[in-house]
Each structure stands twice: as structure tokens, then as C-alpha cells.
Amino acid sequence: MRRHLTLVLWLAAVALMLLYVLLELPQRHWNSSITAAMPGTTTPWQNQLMQQNSSSRHLSLLLTGQPLPQLRQAAVQLQQQTLPGLSWYQPGALMQQLQQQYQQHQALLASPTALAQLQSGQYQQLVDAAWQRLLSPAPLLAEALQYDPLLLTQQFIEQQAPVSAMQPRHAWFESSEPAAILLHASLSIDPFDRTDAGKLAAALEHQLQQLQQQDPELQLARSGVLFHAVNAADNASFEMQFYGGLSLVAILLLLGVSFYSIKPLLLAAVVLGCATLSGLAALLMLEPQPHVLALVFATTLIGIAIDYSFHGMLAANKGRRYFRAMLPSLALGLLTTLLGYLTLTVLPFALLNQVAIFMCAGLTAAFISVWLLFPYWLAPQSLQNNASLLHCCEQISSRYNNTSALKVWSGALLLAALVCLWLLSQARFVDDVRLFNQSPASLLAQEQQVRSLGSQQWDSRFIVVLADSAEQVLQQEQLLLPLLKHWQQQGWLKDWQALSQQLPPVQLQDQLQQQLQLAYQSEPVQQYLSQLQLAAPAPRAERLQPDNFTSVLLQQLFSLQQHSASVILLSGVNIPDTERAQLNSMAQIHWLDPIADTNQVLAQLRSQLGHWLLLALAVTLLILLWRLGIKAACAITLMLLIAVGGALLLSQLLQQQLNIFNLVAALLVLALALDYGVFFTARLSSADVYQAVLLSAVTSCLAFGLLSFSQTPAVASFGVTVFCGVALAALLAPLLTVVSVKEGNKHGTL
Amino acid sequence: MNRLIALVLLLIVSLPPVAVADQAAALLRFAPLQGQLDFVQLKTVQGLPVPLRSKGYLQISADKLLWHTTAPVDTQLLISPAGVSQWQQQQYVAVAGSEFVGQLLLAVLQQQQDFILAHFQLATGQNNCLLLQPVQPPLNQLFSQIELCGQHSLEQLILTELNGNHTAISLQPATGTP
């Protein structure tokens, strides 16, 4: 009765989870941003700013390879087909709109040179410049002379637009030498949202392919976060399915070879299914926008959860008593693995938190499934062990057992010392978030091609001006101008883009109005006005402000909870640290370098993880001392030291550097290797332990080893270290029987 | 037979645009201007009670044009396909966004057929003048019409802006060295 109730409860739990996942999964949006997966900045306003920042919601397409008329035709065709979530910029229309706004506010805007001349009373220079502009055959703004006889706003506009190889046209930028058209678009969807971004990118790609089919000579270059994010998400999705599928097939084959029966396959499939379902349900329950990379890491669940199935099958096959004897070791193994993953949940590292949630829930479900189902579904002696495999395990066991304890102790001590010393001398950690994700070379080349022709090549570093109001922000930007100009003159800064370049603060507009009234009274200007038979205009009452101003640059102005902030974009940044330090003395100016900040947090986390690894080793030693005695504890700790140290050392030698993911992997190696240690020092039959650990190690090596081929460097690093660690642990763990357990004491089973 | 029909159809389809293009090209009868020319510019600007009169000379070469105003004040402009540059403090400073104005002036003075036919609709006006109506941005956002007048060579051009301003530039062979 109790047995049935347990099974019903288990089934109900599985059904509930399945229902929850089926309901939630289609609605959930998956994130593919590598930066979102990394540790973030800690200042609240910085987080708000980064969330509001829409710099990733743009894309550019460069059309080349054909004469301009054909390129224009292709561009028109592309823009005629509307795509939901994407709107094409119309640079010509935007510039015209900007010009119209300036035209309605003439005499409120002047270039910095004209302002300086006004302030210093150099009125003749202003008059000369006005004459020159007036006599030019180039068109003038409407009503220019009525409101702004010195044509200061006219000249302000003419100093605004960047002079570059690409000229703005109504709906795109184009250049004749070489013939090229550059299209810019903005996105209303989040490019890191797997679902929306995937749909948009696919639809756009379809249009581009159609264009290229019509005109094979047409060359297209893409630029924008969307392309990289979708590529990364597709890659992660493919890897998750490919590596996960491959692991599963290999594991099921291994089971088939081991037991010559379909029943173990079904049992293993049930355990793996439950584990995956629980992991997914927990992730969906606790994370509003899970990361696709978390699922790639989570494919390793298969490799660990299947271990529980092996141990459970072998023990259940021997009978209930043997199964009960095996359970404490399995529970201890689960506990150590869970502890390893739980440590990751306290880190401020979104990706690792999600992996930990998935794995903890998945492994617990796998353990519970083995515990509840196997004794009832697998009758004793119902499985036939593969005789060859068993023989092989016995052979290995006897080989290991023939080694003398003294040799093992001295060899292990020497190896541990060598590994630790070599690792300390060789280890070189690189905490650069950019190395964790790699876009395909062709996409990077296209990005470079677009950037080399387009004018917008802003650095990832920028300056933030933080103040109580938008007006104060614009005033602060103005104060910063001399320093930016100085850096530009010194060649430390190529260019910058700030809102105050298009929209001066009201304070400056007031000042200009006052200065102009003084100028109109001066002799040179009076003479100029009389030559033109014009009267001096009255001061203007209206002002140009963010509320009545429309421009793309307004996207650089942010309204935070208690502040207003503006971003000053920079290009060609090579500012010495001593110079940049000047910004620190300006209270409301902040230098932001998201990549460097993330790298710094990564470095801190990595150092923290290193300490945790040592702490985990020390705690393990204490627990083992308490449970197994000094000999077994020291032996297991030595094995752990060699496995973890060796894994890191091999990773360093293979990758030429280490990163935080190698350390995360080292924590997992510690947990897995401890499992093997616990089983080999338990009073269990050698051949059974060999068989179970051999199968476990092979499956873990498969699951993690495959990850080392991942296109995502972060995932590959993780896979390499766990693979090396598990392989080393599996090779060394059998020696524990030699040094800690006497053969006569082995009377149990798994 | 089929080939003959196809040929006839091809001729029918291709003749009209060719004919139209030829007709338009035929209207461009002025000889390209080169070397030095004197000019008188009369600029009528909204809000200015009287037109603004200026004079000076132009130095036209293959890919650029020096626009030297000598009266009422001495100013210099360098006009090229890259745009208009003003002579300020011993150097030419580019005026951003003036690329099309530069290309337009060079094309009109040098009678560049390709540019004119691509950007304007051509018609014959009064007094032996040729009317150029811009057909695409940004020229049609700046000018409503450009009038080219003269007997054999271009003697006057009138730029009419959308905002009502207009500039009449009269050209004549240079009378002496500047």
C-alpha cells in the first residue's frame, strides 16, 4: 500500500512538473546575451542606465559590389518589405527635421567659435563670417536674416553634420567612390531575446537571400548586436541538442552493451527524463528570463544523473539489502555534488546561478527517482551483467590491488607536489569577458567592413553625466567640452557625440540672447545691419529644450529614478590614465567601461572561487576524517588534489590560459571525484565498484568531453577541465582501495 | 518570324526612354565653362528690403571652382564635389552638408550631362532659357527650380530656393586679371 502511494506521489509530481513546463515553455523568452550572463555592475544607477541603454537595438547593412543605381534599387526593395520589430532610419528626413527645428529657433544656437567671439567682443569677425555666408550661392535658412542677421544658427548647422565618405540621402547613406549604400535600422525588440530576435533575423536573412538571388554580384555586409546574438543563441541551441543528444545516445549504447537488455535503457531514460524535467521546471520557476548558455552547461546533467542509474541498477539487481547498503554512498555523493553546485548560487553570476539551479533540482530528482523506482521496477538478478566487462573490471581491480601501498602513497605524494608546484608556476588567469564568446570570423569581417565605411564607430567605453535634471546634465556636458577638445587635439580621442552638441542648455541659449543684444548695439554689427537695411531683432522668448526637441541623440539622455543622465559616446579612445583621472575630480561625471568593470568583477569572483576551492578541500578533509578515519581521508584528499590540480594544469597547457569557468569546473571535479573516492573507500565489492565507477566516468567524460568542442570558449573551458579532472579521478580512485581498505573487509556491494 | 516579332517588340519597348533621354540631352546646348569668368550675383533673401548685389570672378578647373567675391567684401569659396569650403583664418574650412550644392554648381557650369539628367527634369523656358526642376532629395528639398540662360554659352543662372529666396548669377568673360 505504502509502495503504491509512493509511486502515485512520484507520478503526480512528475505530471505536475510536466504540465508546468508545457504551459510555461512557449511563453518564456530566452536570453542570449553573454554580458547578461556575466556579473554586473553594482551601482543602482549604472544598472538602470545599462537596462535603458538601447545601443544594442540597432543594425546596419552595407550594400556594395554593384553600381549605385542597382544598389539604390536593392535598398528600395529591402525597405519596401516591412518587418515587424524593425524600422529603417531615414537620415535625410531626420536631418531635415533637425534643420526645421533649428530654423524655428534661429539665434538660440551658435557654434563654440561664434560664442567665444561674442563673449570676447570680436564683432568684426562675426560680421565678416556673416558676409561670407550671405554672399555664398549656397541656400540660406528661411527667415534667417529676420531672426538671426549674423547667421549664427546657419553656421552652427553647417558645422554640425559630419563630413565623411558616406553622404546622407533620404533613406540611407551612400558613397560613390567606392559605390556603396549603408542602411541603418532600429529594433523595437530585444536582440538578446531568443524568440523575437530569432524570428526577425530569419525574416531579414530571407529578404537578403532573395536580393542576392536576384543579383548574385550584390555584396551584403551585416553589422549589429542582433546578428551576433542570434548566432550565439543558435549556436548554443545547436550545441545543447547535439551534445546532449550525442551524450544520451552514447550512454544508452553503453547501457545496452553492459546489460544486454532494454529494461536498463528504459529505467535510465525515466531517470534522465525526470531529472531534465525537474531542472527545467526549477529554472523556469526561479528565473524570469533564463539564459540559453545555462542549458548548454546543463547538458552535463545527463553525465552525472546516469551515474545514479548505474549505481542503482547494479545494486537493485543484487537485491534489496544491497540496494539499501548502497544508498548512503549515493546520498553522500549527491550531497557533495549539490554542495559543489550550491556554492555557485551565492555568486553574483547569473549564468552560474542558473546552471546551479538546474543541476541541483535535476540531480535531486534523479536521486529520488532511483531511490523510489529501482527497487520496485528491477527484480533481483533480472539483469545479466556483460561478462566481458565484468572480467575486464576484475582484471583492472587485480592490477590495481597488486600495487604496494607504500608505492601508492609515495607516488601520490610526489605527484600531488609536482602537480601543485607546476600549476602554481604555470597558471595564468585571464579575466576578459570578450574571450568567453566568439562570433564567426565572417560575421566579424562584415562588422569591420561596415564600421570602416560607416561613421558610427563608437567605443564600448563612454562618459556618463549624472545630475538632478536634464538641463543640469546639458550644462555639465558643456563644462566637459574643453577637456574633450584637449584630448582630441592631443590625439587621445578621435571624436565624441553628446546631446548638448545638438541641443545646448537653456542657460547657454539665455546667454547667447544677451550677448547678441549687446552685439547688435556694437559699431561693426550696426554698420552691417544698416548696409542690409535691417533692424536689430528683439530677443527671442522661446527656448529649445528636450521636451520640444526631436533627435536621435535624445536616446543618449536617460531619466533614472532620482537623476537624469546622459551618455557621451567616444571613438578612437587612447586616453592616458593620468589624463582620465581628471574626470574623477568632476563630481557628476563618470567614466564607464562596462567590459573593464565586468572583467574586474570576474577577477574578484575568480579569486573568491579559488579560496572556496581550497576551503571546500579543507572541509572535505575534515568530514572524511570524521566519517572514514585519517588514512582514507588523507588518501581521498591526495586524490582530489591531484585530480583538481591536474585538471587545471592540463587545461592551462591546452588553452595556454585559465579563466573563471576552469575554476567553476574544478569545483565540480572536486564533487565528482569525491563520489568516486567515497565508493572506492566504502566496504563494497571491488569489481562492482569498478564497473559502476568505470561506467560513471565514461559517461561523465563523454558529457563533459563533448563540451570541450563547443564554439563558445566559456563552455569549452568548462568541458576541458571537467573532462581532465574526471578522467584523472577515475584513473586514481581505484588506488584508494590499496591504501585505505583491506581486501578482507570488502563484504558488501554498491 | 518569331525573331522579327521579338525585334520589333524590343524596339517598341526600348525606343521611348531612349528618345526621351536624347531629347533632354539635346536641350543641354551650352558649352562647358572653363578658366576665369567674371560674375555678378543678385541675391534676393526673405526679410531683406533690397537684393544683395555682389561681384567677383570664378576660376573653373576640371574638378573644382574658386568663387572669389571682391565686392562688397572680399571672400573666397572653394567649391568641389566634396562641398563648399570657406576661406577662414588662412585656410579653407568645409561647410558640412554642402556636398550637393558643390556638385550642382560644378555640374551646371561644366554642363555635366550625367549629373543633370539624373537629378533634374528639363524643359525649355522663356528667353532662350533652360529650366531644371530637381526630381529627388536633397536637391528638391533645397531648390524649386534652376534656370540656365544664354545664347551659345551659359550667361546667367537663377537658383530659386523653396523658401522663396533666389539667386541670379550673371557670367561674362573675364575683363582683366584680378
Side-chain angles (χ1 to χ4, degrees), chain A residues 456-689:
Chain A
Q456 290 175 333
Q457 198 175 354
W458 303 116
D459 202 278
S460 61
R461 292 164 283 186
F462 51 88
I463 294 171
V464 175
V465 180
L466 200 64
D468 292 337
S469 65
E471 169 63 17
Q472 284 180 15
V473 162
L474 293 172
Q475 287 177 21
Q476 289 296 320
E477 278 192 7
Q478 287 288 317
L479 293 177
L480 196 60
L481 279 182
L483 186 61
L484 294 176
K485 272 184 193 160
H486 170 64
W487 287 348
Q488 195 179 36
Q489 282 161 1
Q490 296 296 322
W492 298 328
L493 182 64
K494 191 178 167 198
D495 201 4
W496 72 88
Q497 181 177 286
L499 176 61
S500 63
Q501 288 172 302
Q502 279 193 356
L503 176 67
V506 171
Q507 184 194 41
L508 199 66
Q509 296 176 44
D510 290 342
Q511 200 183 331
L512 177 61
Q513 282 294 294
Q514 289 165 10
Q515 300 280 356
L516 269 176
Q517 290 307 313
L518 285 175
Y520 294 150
Q521 307 308 317
S522 70
E523 198 188 321
V525 180
Q526 285 271 340
Q527 201 180 345
Y528 166 75
L529 291 173
S530 74
Q531 271 178 288
L532 294 174
Q533 299 181 33
L534 287 172
R540 297 197 77 144
E542 70 277 17
R543 295 289 179 266
L544 196 58
Q545 293 177 68
D547 302 339
N548 61 357
F549 182 67
T550 310
S551 165
V552 181
L553 260 64
L554 273 177
Q555 289 175 359
Q556 289 174 228
L557 183 69
F558 299 90
S559 182
L560 306 180
Q561 268 177 355
Q562 293 167 339
H563 305 283
S564 283
S566 76
V567 166
I568 299 178
L569 300 173
L570 310 170
S571 72
V573 182
N574 189 22
I575 306 163
D577 290 345
T578 47
E579 279 292 320
R580 219 183 57 211
Q582 289 186 56
L583 294 179
N584 299 339
S585 60
M586 302 179 186
Q588 292 166 307
I589 312 287
H590 303 267
W591 174 267
L592 277 201
D593 186 346
I595 291 176
D597 290 347
T598 306
N599 290 350
Q600 201 179 348
V601 179
L602 270 179
Q604 285 167 2
L605 271 179
R606 195 246 307 153
S607 158
Q608 204 177 337
L609 266 180
H611 292 132
W612 283 11
L613 194 61
L614 292 175
L615 188 70
L617 209 58
V619 171
T620 307
L621 180 63
L622 286 175
I623 295 173
L624 292 174
L625 276 172
W626 169 51
R627 297 293 301 163
L628 303 174
I630 188 161
K631 213 173 179 180
C634 289
I636 293 176
T637 310
L638 263 181
M639 186 270 287
L640 292 178
L641 209 59
I642 297 169
V644 172
L648 287 174
L649 181 63
L650 287 170
S651 304
Q652 164 72 49
L653 296 174
L654 287 168
Q655 301 171 174
Q656 303 299 314
Q657 61 187 33
L658 293 172
N659 59 55
I660 193 166
F661 289 97
N662 296 114
L663 271 189
V664 173
L667 264 178
L668 188 61
V669 169
L670 187 71
L672 290 171
L674 189 59
D675 279 5
Y676 302 161
V678 168
F679 276 98
F680 272 105
T681 49
R683 294 171 193 282
L684 303 166
S685 157
S686 289
D688 290 339
V689 173

Side-chain angles (χ1 to χ4, degrees), chain A residues 96 131-143 145-146 158 161 163 167 169-170 532-534, chain B residues 41 43 45-50 52 54 73 75-77 86-88 95-96 99-100 105 141 143 161 163:
Chain A
Q96 208 182 352
W131 270 121
Q132 191 173 33
R133 183 62 192 87
L134 200 55
L135 299 177
S136 160
L140 284 172
L141 289 176
E143 301 173 323
L145 287 171
Q146 276 166 277
E158 287 167 354
V163 180
Q167 300 305 325
R169 297 292 177 260
H170 183 70
L532 294 174
Q533 299 181 33
L534 287 172
Chain B
Q41 179 182 268
K43 198 163 184 173
V45 181
Q46 266 191 331
L48 210 59
V50 288
L52 196 63
S54 60
V73 290
T75 65
Q76 284 181 52
L77 299 174
Q86 296 178 344
W87 181 251
Q88 287 173 356
V95 173
E99 300 79 17
F100 253 96
L105 285 169
Q141 291 162 352
F143 301 103
E161 296 168 31
N163 56 23

